[in-house]
Amino acid sequence: MKDSKIEANSDILAELVVKGMQEKKAADIVVMNLKSLKNAVSDYFIIASANSDTQLDAIASAIEEEVFKATKQNPWQSEGRTNKEWVLLDYVDVVAHIFLKDKREFYALEELWGDARIQYVESV
């Protein structure tokens, strides 16, 4: 029997995560390419902001749907759905972070990886 799961490389997976974020109007999407960094925990960190806890949940769900539709892959780990301030979806090679705006400023993840190649995604 043929396995229907499609292996997604991290570049394709990152594009799918961004697409899911854009579908629910995530703000300030940043793609951090960590591939060239020694001891990086993944290939990409993708960070976005939400205006409300409802939007935060919708963005996380859209990412999961987009990735599953294309790759039949669920996140390896998911955190933060209950507190609704910061949701993390860990696909191992790609980690998506969705923050409420004030929490994003507080944690300032973009500043932790100053050597990363950073791409700012325009809103659609």
Side-chain angles (χ1 to χ4, degrees), residues 31-51:
V31 178
M32 300 176 69
N33 185 330
L34 308 173
K35 288 180 180 180
S36 64
L37 302 182
K38 187 176 181 178
N39 299 325
V41 295
S42 67
D43 288 349
Y44 290 96
F45 269 14
I46 304 174
I47 306 167
S49 297
N51 293 316

Side-chain angles (χ1 to χ4, degrees), residues 99-117:
F99 288 95
L100 289 179
K101 288 187 184 229
D102 61 329
K103 293 300 177 187
R104 182 172 178 176
E105 291 171 11
F106 177 78
Y107 287 104
L109 284 187
E110 290 96 328
E111 295 173 20
L112 291 177
W113 301 98
D115 296 343
R117 257 191 355 230

Side-chain angles (χ1 to χ4, degrees), residues 3-4 6 25 54 61 65 70:
D3 187 10
S4 63
I6 300 168
K25 309 293 186 221
T54 304
S61 295
E65 290 168 16

